[in-house]
Amino acid sequence: MGGAKPVKAVDVRGDAVAARGLAWSAENESLFVVTVDGEDVPTLECVKHPTFDLPLLP
């Protein structure tokens, strides 16, 4: 109750998003995501226009 609810889903390659691993670009056109795999190896991913043409979550 009272928590945030996601409205969109974005596919990333890693197993999980790292703690504090999300950042928007200055112009809000790209979302930078730091993901980690099962061995905690970090990977930086860039999602261009993450709010365009994505299905709504149920």
Side-chain angles (χ1 to χ4, degrees), residues 1 3 8-10 12-13 20-22 24 26 28 30-31 34 36-37 43 45 49-50 54-58:
M1 185 164 118
K8 303 272 181 174
V10 177
V12 293
R13 292 182 296 268
R20 301 176 69 174
L22 297 174
W24 285 100
N28 290 326
S30 298
L31 178 64
V34 177
V36 291
D37 63 12
T43 302
E45 301 184 40
H49 307 290
L54 295 176
L56 291 175
L57 292 173

Side-chain angles (χ1 to χ4, degrees), residues 6-56:
V7 295
K8 303 272 181 174
V10 177
D11 287 330
V12 293
R13 292 182 296 268
D15 292 338
V17 176
R20 301 176 69 174
L22 297 174
W24 285 100
S25 63
E27 66 281 351
N28 290 326
E29 292 183 2
S30 298
L31 178 64
F32 298 100
V33 183
V34 177
T35 60
V36 291
D37 63 12
E39 298 176 7
D40 288 332
V41 176
T43 302
L44 175 63
E45 301 184 40
C46 178
V47 181
K48 299 261 187 200
H49 307 290
T51 59
F52 291 1
D53 300 317
L54 295 176
L56 291 175

